[in-house]
Amino acid sequence: MLNDTETKELLNFLTLETRADLKGQATGYILGLTGTKDGCRYLRDKPDFLRALYTLTNDSSVAIVKDCYHAMVNLSADETLHKPLVKDTNILPGLFRNLLDPNYVFADRIGTILTNLSRHDKTCKEVFRVIQEEEIGLVKIVEIFCTEGYNKKASLHYLGPLLSNLTQLPETRQFILDKDRCVVQRLLPFTQYEASAVRRGGVVGTLRNCCFDYAQHEWLLSEAVDILPFLLLPLAGPEELSEEENEGLPVDLQYLPEDKKREEDPDIRKMLIETMILLTATKTGRQTLKTKNVYPIMREYHQWEKEPHVAASCEKLIQVLIGDEPEPGMENLMELSIPEDIEVKLRDWEAKEREQIERETEELLKKESEARAEMESSDPKGLQP
């Protein structure tokens, strides 16, 4: 790392007035530092460098601005840099102003930075505070997210994970679940947004977090929102169900075509299942999922799923769907207090389940590796003439 003299000299080059070639070399060096964990930790205690990087996002050189934003993406990926970036550098108001500019070239980089900074509770609260105090508002964030082509130079897909992170906070969940705003209804179609797994995953994560508010389950499952088909359809495949099973399904799930494909991203599939598990925590939710014939879809899906950790979540949902109802007074699973001895047993069971999943994952990877090796060895292109 740099000594004190070298640090001071480098900082002198990180100004808007510095000659372009020297400034470019300096920002390139900083970008290289942020590519390593040690480099990020070194800059953590250098607020002057962080402020200089942020200032240079206003430089006239596109290459320098690009390097600065890239460096800030790297820094924001390190949780220990969150407080220095948010508190010491105060980057949030400026980032949001540029994000709202429909012509700003680096809006996607900003979306990534804001997503990184909002992952954890403390800085997520700071991000939310700035959204409110700068009079941006969640209304504007949702409007931009739902407006295709808002920025012709940026996709803004990372607003999805940003919304998901913000729904850690009850204030955001309250906004999204406001019955008069119709926000959740606007977000639902993005669970099938083919152009971006980032956007799909962000919306599914948002819905999952909102389902922790069990008082809203009945409304979410009602015709006013009808969340279930949007959660179930990405998991449904082309398998042929019986006429009786089809008739019990929501209309959008009935008689699916032979080329119907499932969600490709295993993390998104897992979140979809977790969202339905949350909905089964209430009696209304369980009854609705059983009445709507979710079980046949999940039965076929379980046979298809190859990822052990996702299959394990599927099994939990199926157990609820085919199981008996809890005893009177225990209908709402989110309100139950678990005795300490039972909690210990559950933790042991979860640990064993994780070990089993890890073993299955290793076996799956081993089989895939062996299959690839076999294909390569039998490939005629690999043979020497």
Side-chain angles (χ1 to χ4, degrees):
M1 293 300 170
L2 302 175
N3 59 38
D4 290 344
T5 303
E6 291 169 332
T7 297
K8 188 174 181 180
E9 288 178 356
L10 181 61
L11 188 60
N12 288 334
F13 292 132
L14 296 171
T15 68
L16 293 169
E17 296 78 22
T18 301
R19 208 173 72 200
D21 58 333
L22 297 176
K23 189 164 39 182
Q25 291 178 34
T27 53
Y29 178 81
I30 294 295
L31 175 58
L33 274 181
T34 65
T36 67
K37 186 175 182 179
D38 289 341
C40 286
R41 299 293 165 92
Y42 171 77
L43 291 171
R44 178 180 59 194
D45 302 319
K46 305 285 187 298
D48 288 343
F49 276 94
L50 300 179
R51 281 190 285 269
L53 272 179
Y54 174 59
T55 299
L56 287 174
T57 60
N58 295 309
D59 198 80
S60 58
S61 166
V62 173
I64 288 173
V65 174
K66 183 178 179 181
D67 280 354
C68 289
Y69 272 124
H70 193 167
M72 289 169 64
V73 169
N74 291 344
L75 291 167
S76 65
D78 187 329
E79 184 186 352
T80 65
L81 269 294
H82 287 185
K83 183 177 179 295
L85 285 168
V86 171
K87 292 287 190 181
D88 302 337
T89 315
N90 192 32
I91 65 174
L92 292 177
L95 289 180
F96 273 111
R97 280 195 297 274
N98 288 333
L99 179 70
L100 298 179
D101 182 349
N103 297 305
Y104 197 67
V105 175
F106 296 102
D108 282 335
R109 298 287 176 100
I110 291 174
T112 306
I113 294 166
L114 292 172
T115 296
N116 287 341
L117 292 176
S118 59
R119 279 203 179 107
H120 302 285
D121 184 66
K122 288 183 180 179
T123 44
C124 184
K125 289 178 179 176
E126 284 298 309
V127 172
F128 180 80
R129 180 186 63 78
V130 170
I131 289 173
Q132 299 302 97
E133 290 185 359
E134 294 293 319
E135 297 184 352
I136 299 161
L138 290 170
V139 172
K140 187 66 176 176
I141 301 297
V142 170
E143 180 186 335
I144 292 172
F145 179 74
C146 293
T147 303
E148 289 275 2
Y150 174 85
N151 186 329
K152 297 291 190 297
K153 301 171 182 176
S155 67
L156 300 180
H157 293 324
Y158 272 92
L159 289 185
L162 174 61
L163 279 172
S164 178
N165 291 344
L166 288 170
T167 51
Q168 296 176 72
L169 308 177
E171 299 91 335
T172 308
R173 295 197 299 272
Q174 184 178 358
F175 165 79
I176 289 177
L177 295 172
D178 187 321
K179 295 178 182 179
D180 296 324
R181 291 185 183 274
C182 293
V183 176
V184 70
Q185 291 92 329
R186 294 183 70 186
L187 295 177
L188 285 174
F190 289 102
T191 60
Q192 299 166 69
Y193 188 81
E194 294 183 1
S196 170
V198 170
R199 187 176 284 250
R200 288 198 311 276
V203 167
V204 173
T206 299
L207 297 174
R208 180 190 60 182
N209 290 347
C210 286
C211 284
F212 279 99
D213 289 359
Y214 63 84
Q216 302 289 351
H217 284 185
E218 185 172 357
W219 176 68
L220 287 168
L221 289 163
S222 71
E223 290 184 4
V225 180
D226 200 20
I227 191 175
L228 185 57
F230 293 94
L231 301 175
L232 200 53
L233 190 56
L235 300 174
E239 294 85 6
E240 189 174 336
L241 302 178
S242 69
E243 187 171 337
E244 184 181 354
E245 289 172 335
N246 268 302
E247 291 299 328
L249 286 166
V251 174
D252 291 343
L253 275 294
Q254 293 179 7
Y255 303 101
L256 296 175
E258 293 180 0
D259 60 350
K260 171 67 174 70
K261 294 181 179 179
R262 292 183 168 94
E263 168 60 53
E264 295 179 354
D265 190 300
D267 292 329
I268 297 177
R269 296 198 301 269
K270 190 169 188 289
M271 285 193 292
L272 288 163
I273 295 168
E274 288 170 347
T275 307
M276 287 191 283
I277 290 174
L278 285 170
L279 289 170
T280 62
T282 54
K283 184 176 182 179
T284 297
R286 288 190 299 277
Q287 289 179 339
T288 302
L289 266 66
K290 289 178 180 181
T291 302
K292 295 291 186 180
N293 239 11
V294 170
Y295 169 69
I297 297 290
M298 298 313 298
R299 178 193 66 209
E300 300 300 322
Y301 167 80
H302 183 260
Q303 294 178 14
W304 173 89
E305 181 59 70
K306 298 295 187 292
E307 296 289 340
H309 69 290
V310 186
S313 294
C314 179
E315 288 162 13
K316 290 177 184 177
L317 176 58
I318 288 174
Q319 286 170 7
V320 176
L321 294 174
I322 65 176
D324 296 329
E325 271 295 298
E327 296 177 9
M330 302 178 69
E331 291 92 345
N332 190 333
L333 305 181
M334 287 188 172
E335 291 181 336
L336 296 180
S337 57
I338 303 174
E340 188 175 346
D341 60 327
I342 300 297
E343 194 168 350
V344 170
K345 290 179 180 178
L346 285 173
R347 282 199 296 267
D348 289 342
W349 180 79
E350 287 177 355
K352 290 177 181 177
E353 182 185 44
R354 281 195 299 272
E355 290 175 5
Q356 177 66 23
I357 289 171
E358 288 171 3
R359 283 196 298 272
E360 291 177 1
T361 303
E362 288 176 5
E363 290 174 6
L364 180 63
L365 292 172
K366 183 179 178 181
K367 288 179 181 177
E368 289 177 350
S369 177
E370 290 173 350
R372 280 197 301 272
E374 187 176 343
M375 286 177 64
E376 289 170 2
S377 65
S378 61
D379 186 355
K381 295 178 182 178
L383 298 176
Q384 295 295 324

